[in-house]
Amino acid sequence: MKSHPYMKKIFVFLIAITIFSCEKDKIKKDDPDIVTPGNFAEAKTELNKIYGNDDNAAQVMDIYLPANRSTATTKVFLLVHGGAWLDGDKNGTEDDQYIVHLLDSLKKKFPDWAIFNMNYRLAKTDGSNIYPTQENDMIKAVKYIYDNRAAFGISDKWVYVGMSAGAQMALVQAYKQTGPIRPKAVIDFYGPTDMTALYNTGDGLIRQGLRIFLGGTPSSKPGAYSESSPITHVDASDPPTLILHGGGDDTVPESQSFALRDKLASLNVRVTYVAGLKEQGHGWSSWDSWATSINAIQNFVNTNVP
């Protein structure tokens, strides 16, 4: 089966001797951006808003706030892009426009929701930004949004949405972190759920990518593999979960999602698994699959996030 663009990107990383951060990737900023309340009757868009304080330009997010929003009723999507933790961007890449398609679809289908679309630091072959850097960045992003919720004009009804590596991050945040807020639901597009199983069943390229991200193998870094696995953190208090996974995925096998679905169901956590995506790989290649996915999201959030 044709290799997914994410895997091509990993290969580029692997043949490089070392990757250095350019000066343009650095910012001189001591604190996250200050949020000033606006006119809630007007829609507002803020791009590249800084949420972190690590002097790193990756800690930014795009913010889309609807008109006539309020802290009582305006619900929130927090989007997390994929890219194997080594690549990707909230604005998409040349080979991967999935996050862009998702963002556009959610804007159209949910015009009254606020959307936060975040970047995060990417793991490097020189050993920098390895796990738990990405997890820590999501914790900071969530705290930044929460601390400024009154200024944004948003409610406490949040839904995390992740794609691939971003789905792993969204699931870990939803299941592992109990504060400052827990989402009302989480949506998982073909995310890894058991990192040790993925390493053991993956090909050489996938294994090498996991070694970069997690700093070693399951034998040398068992704690990292366990802690970064969403399935490790599943318990009966977890939020409702929507899982979308293609039956033809040879990057993250569908067995990863089956395992999560079954564990959630065994604990009576609400879980919905989307059928009808049998021919899709790691990312959708047909608009019909996008339509199926967005309709499933609409039904899921209408049921679980009233």
Side-chain angles (χ1 to χ4, degrees):
M1 188 169 182
K2 185 178 179 181
S3 296
H4 189 271
Y6 291 166
M7 294 301 103
K8 295 179 183 177
K9 291 291 186 179
I10 295 174
F11 180 71
V12 172
F13 286 126
L14 298 182
I15 63 174
I17 297 174
T18 250
I19 295 178
F20 294 97
S21 295
C22 299
E23 286 302 314
K24 67 181 178 63
D25 291 331
K26 294 292 181 180
I27 55 176
K28 298 300 180 183
K29 191 79 175 180
D30 294 329
D31 297 297
D33 278 344
I34 296 172
V35 179
T36 55
N39 180 354
F40 289 176
E42 297 178 354
K44 185 177 183 180
T45 296
E46 296 192 64
L47 303 180
N48 295 315
K49 198 75 171 173
I50 299 166
Y51 67 79
N53 56 2
D54 293 318
D55 286 343
N56 194 290
Q59 293 175 321
V60 296
M61 63 174 65
D62 294 341
I63 302 170
Y64 306 90
L65 303 174
N68 301 313
R69 59 192 179 277
S70 80
T71 56
T73 61
T74 300
K75 302 171 188 177
V76 173
F77 284 121
L78 174 55
L79 308 189
V80 195
H81 70 78
W85 309 279
L86 311 177
D87 189 41
D89 188 89
K90 60 183 172 57
N91 300 314
T93 64
E94 182 179 355
D95 292 326
D96 173 14
Q97 291 291 305
Y98 298 125
I99 193 70
V100 177
H101 297 323
L102 177 63
L103 174 63
D104 290 344
S105 295
L106 292 179
K107 284 181 179 178
K108 293 174 183 177
K109 202 75 167 179
F110 301 91
D112 297 329
W113 285 57
I115 302 177
F116 296 78
N117 185 19
M118 65 174 285
N119 268 356
Y120 50 90
R121 288 172 290 176
L122 303 173
K124 305 289 188 180
T125 55
D126 64 4
S128 61
N129 292 346
I130 64 171
Y131 177 82
T133 297
Q134 297 72 27
E135 182 176 320
N136 290 338
D137 279 359
M138 189 161 183
I139 290 171
K140 288 183 179 181
V142 168
K143 184 177 186 302
Y144 175 74
I145 299 169
Y146 181 81
D147 288 348
N148 291 285
R149 64 196 183 282
F152 287 134
I154 58 174
S155 74
D156 63 353
K157 294 182 177 182
W158 297 18
V159 177
Y160 299 157
V161 189
M163 309 190 87
S164 191
Q168 175 268 335
M169 292 172 58
L171 291 168
V172 168
Q173 179 74 26
Y175 298 161
K176 181 179 179 182
Q177 304 300 328
T178 58
I181 192 170
R182 294 200 79 179
K184 302 301 182 184
V186 58
I187 298 172
D188 160 23
F189 277 84
Y190 43 85
T193 67
D194 184 330
M195 308 302 268
T196 298
L198 183 60
Y199 184 90
N200 289 337
T201 59
D203 61 21
L205 204 55
I206 291 172
R207 291 183 180 185
Q208 185 74 321
L210 287 171
R211 285 196 291 268
I212 293 171
F213 168 52
L214 296 172
T217 68
S219 296
S220 66
K221 294 285 187 177
Y225 276 78
S226 176
E227 282 299 305
S228 64
S229 296
I231 204 163
T232 299
H233 306 288
V234 169
D235 64 40
S237 68
D238 287 333
T241 301
L242 174 66
I243 302 174
L244 306 101
H245 207 131
D249 194 335
D250 57 1
T251 300
V252 177
E254 198 175 10
S255 58
Q256 290 274 309
S257 287
F258 289 153
L260 178 62
R261 176 199 63 187
D262 293 347
K263 187 165 185 180
L264 289 167
S266 73
L267 295 171
N268 295 317
V269 176
R270 293 183 188 176
V271 57
T272 301
Y273 201 100
V274 175
L277 302 170
K278 298 296 185 183
E279 302 304 318
Q280 297 305 303
H282 200 66
W284 306 159
S285 60
S286 76
W287 289 112
D288 285 346
S289 293
W290 278 110
T292 296
S293 300
I294 297 303
N295 288 335
I297 290 173
Q298 185 175 41
N299 291 335
F300 174 76
V301 298
N302 286 345
T303 299
N304 294 290
V305 193

